[in-house]
Amino acid sequence: GNQPTTYFVSHWWGEPIADFVACVQQHANDYAIGKQDPKTGDFDGAGAYYWVCAYANNQWELSKYVCADPRESAFQKAIDMARGGLTMIDTGGVVFTRIWCSFETFCLLGRSAGLKQGSPDKFSYDFYTAQTYTCQGMGTDSRIEERAGEGLLYPVERKAVGITDGACKSDGEPPHHFWAKSEREAGFRPE
């Protein structure tokens, strides 16, 4: 049946699960999705539905989800329902050598550019990769919330980094949010 979709996730099945989880977790943290754990500062992602083919489609009956015209597939339907897309870039960049992932990227870019007829809402398309790094951040990290009110930057260790379509909650408020976004994204260096 129909599954609610907030973010469509495009990924190569060969990346380590820990990397996949780190990317989704960082995406939820960057957008401040769900409830925040006061000890870790992480958001739980509650309220957002990440559509992942390995979990959304019955892998034993793929013929139900993939058809002669890929634009009629379950993948395309999920992209059409989503308000955003998320591509996981593995350390080897294998995701860009997989034809189905390339098709998903094509569809996500088209949706992001507003080429999809009848899409009234903004569609964000983000790229994440798993890598540990420390950036200077501001905004929603509760571990140092007392400093965020002062508009100060503070070091934040992350297990993944994303290039996002515009500023996120974790980037803080204008006018400094684009500077914080560029600082957050500076660690994006897939090997």
Side-chain angles (χ1 to χ4, degrees), residues 3 13 17 39 42 45 47 59 67 70 78 81 113 132 135 139 155 162 168 173 191:
Q3 302 166 349
W13 285 25
I17 292 175
K39 292 182 182 176
D42 287 337
Q59 299 303 306
C67 47
M81 290 189 314
T132 302
C135 76
C168 298
E173 298 295 324
E191 300 289 323

Side-chain angles (χ1 to χ4, degrees), residues 8-72:
F8 179 92
V9 180
S10 180
H11 71 107
W12 171 56
W13 285 25
E15 82 269 343
I17 292 175
D19 289 356
F20 179 89
V21 171
C23 289
V24 171
Q25 179 66 63
Q26 191 59 56
H27 184 265
N29 287 342
D30 287 345
Y31 283 96
I33 298 169
K35 294 181 182 175
Q36 191 173 29
D37 183 316
K39 292 182 182 176
T40 66
D42 287 337
F43 286 83
D44 64 9
Y49 299 93
Y50 289 87
W51 196 93
V52 180
C53 66
Y55 307 112
N57 292 334
N58 180 343
Q59 299 303 306
W60 299 105
E61 296 180 2
L62 284 179
S63 61
K64 289 183 178 181
Y65 311 106
V66 179
C67 47
D69 183 353
R71 293 170 296 182
E72 299 297 322

Side-chain angles (χ1 to χ4, degrees), residues 4 12 35 52 55 74 101 106 109 112-113 115 120 127 139 147 151 171 181:
W12 171 56
K35 294 181 182 175
V52 180
Y55 307 112
C101 294
F106 171 78
L109 284 170
S112 179
L115 299 177
F127 294 85
R147 298 190 70 197
D171 298 327
K181 171 184 166 51

